[in-house]
Amino acid sequence: PEHAQAAGGCALMFAKRSGHKYGNRKVVTADGTKFDSLAELNRWGHLNMLQRGGYISDLRRQVVFEMVPSVKFAGAARARPAIRYVADFVYLEKGIEVIEDVKGVETPEFKIKRHLMKALLGLEVKVVKK
């Protein structure tokens, strides 16, 4: 893996770019925290600064929302898994829950899941562009 240093002196390791359709590389910080992209890591750092400053609270990563429960079709050996959306970040801003996803490219799958989050759960997903 390639090594680099992020703003603030944080050591990073980059995974190979090869398997990623949209050019993202997974990033691992010196403490072992994994991010799907450098943009996601940078947003995490920014949100942490906002939390330290008291502008947001209850900051969490990789929050899972179940949109549709698991089902078993007639004649199937196994149940189909639940349909889930995993948010990059969730936090409270002025007492309101904010669900965020960092995106360079909005894939068809993401667009469907974002639509389902709103239609089924009444939850808005805020997109932060890289």
Side-chain angles (χ1 to χ4, degrees):
E2 195 178 315
H3 293 355
Q5 201 166 34
C10 180
L12 305 175
M13 285 191 337
F14 291 99
K16 290 183 181 174
R17 200 182 284 254
S18 58
H20 300 281
K21 185 173 181 178
Y22 298 104
N24 287 340
R25 289 194 293 183
K26 300 225 183 244
V27 181
V28 181
T29 62
D31 69 0
T33 306
K34 296 176 184 176
F35 292 88
D36 287 338
S37 68
L38 187 55
E40 189 177 309
L41 169 63
N42 289 335
R43 182 63 180 157
W44 175 248
H46 184 245
L47 290 171
N48 271 288
M49 286 191 326
L50 291 174
Q51 182 164 258
R52 284 192 299 273
Y55 297 99
I56 66 171
S57 62
D58 196 28
L59 177 60
R60 295 170 285 149
R61 295 183 60 234
Q62 302 299 300
V63 179
V64 178
F65 294 87
E66 185 173 300
M67 297 180 292
V68 181
S70 174
V71 295
K72 185 172 181 190
F73 293 102
R78 295 185 192 151
R80 300 290 303 163
I83 297 174
R84 295 181 174 95
Y85 166 71
V86 181
D88 289 338
F89 310 113
V90 176
Y91 54 89
L92 294 177
E93 185 173 32
K94 298 177 184 168
I96 298 168
E97 185 177 63
V98 178
I99 302 166
E100 261 192 24
D101 211 296
V102 178
K103 290 285 177 213
V105 175
E106 291 184 33
T107 64
E109 180 183 14
F110 170 75
K111 289 177 181 179
I112 290 168
K113 287 188 174 187
R114 184 178 187 209
H115 185 108
L116 289 172
M117 285 284 286
K118 182 67 173 180
L120 300 176
L121 303 180
L123 300 172
E124 190 86 33
V125 176
K126 177 181 174 183
V127 177
V128 176
K129 292 290 186 178
K130 291 185 182 182

